Amino acid sequence: MVLGVLLVLIGSGVAYAQETPLVDARQQNQNARIREGVASGEVTRAEAKKLRAEQRNIRRTEHRAEADGTVTDRERARLQRKQNRASRDISRQKHDRQDRPRAN
C-alpha cells in the first residue's frame, strides 16, 4: 500500500514538473546567462543578486500557476512577459559597460 502511494506521488510530481517545460528550459538558459556574466565580469555582484531575485520571482509565479494542476493561457502569457523582461534585464546588465573589478 505504501508503495502504491509513493508511485502515485511520484507520478503526480512528474506531471507537475512537466506542465511548463518551455518555461523551465528558458529559466535554465537565463540562469546560465547570469552565471556567464558573473564569470566574465560583465555583471557585478549587486546586479547578479537582482537578476537572481527576478528569476526566483518567476519560479514562484510558475509554481503558483501550476498549483491547481492546470496552467491557463493567461498564466502562460504572464510567465512569458516576466521572462521577456528578465531576459532584457540580463542583456542590459551584461552590456552596460559596468564591469566587476578583476583580481590580479
Side-chain angles (χ1 to χ4, degrees):
M1 184 168 151
V2 173
L3 183 61
V5 171
L6 284 174
L7 289 175
V8 169
L9 290 175
I10 290 170
S12 66
V14 170
Y16 176 81
Q18 295 190 7
E19 183 69 33
T20 54
L22 296 176
V23 172
D24 297 335
R26 195 163 176 200
Q27 285 286 104
Q28 289 177 354
N29 181 1
Q30 289 181 350
N31 284 324
R33 289 172 59 207
I34 294 168
R35 279 192 306 274
E36 290 166 5
V38 170
S40 70
E42 295 173 315
V43 177
T44 67
R45 285 188 176 96
E47 291 169 343
K49 186 176 179 179
K50 289 177 184 177
L51 294 171
R52 288 182 182 125
E54 193 170 20
Q55 295 301 306
R56 280 191 304 275
N57 181 276
I58 293 169
R59 249 188 327 277
R60 280 193 301 271
T61 302
E62 179 185 11
H63 290 308
R64 279 193 303 270
E66 292 173 337
D68 64 357
T70 303
V71 180
T72 65
D73 289 341
R74 188 176 192 169
E75 290 168 331
R76 282 185 203 283
R78 182 172 192 219
L79 283 166
Q80 187 173 12
R81 278 193 310 273
K82 283 182 173 244
Q83 285 186 316
N84 289 345
R85 186 176 308 118
S87 182
R88 278 192 308 273
D89 291 344
I90 293 167
S91 182
R92 284 182 184 138
Q93 294 303 337
K94 286 181 79 172
H95 299 97
D96 66 357
R97 297 180 186 223
Q98 189 178 29
D99 294 336
R100 189 182 80 236
R102 293 179 180 256
N104 292 331

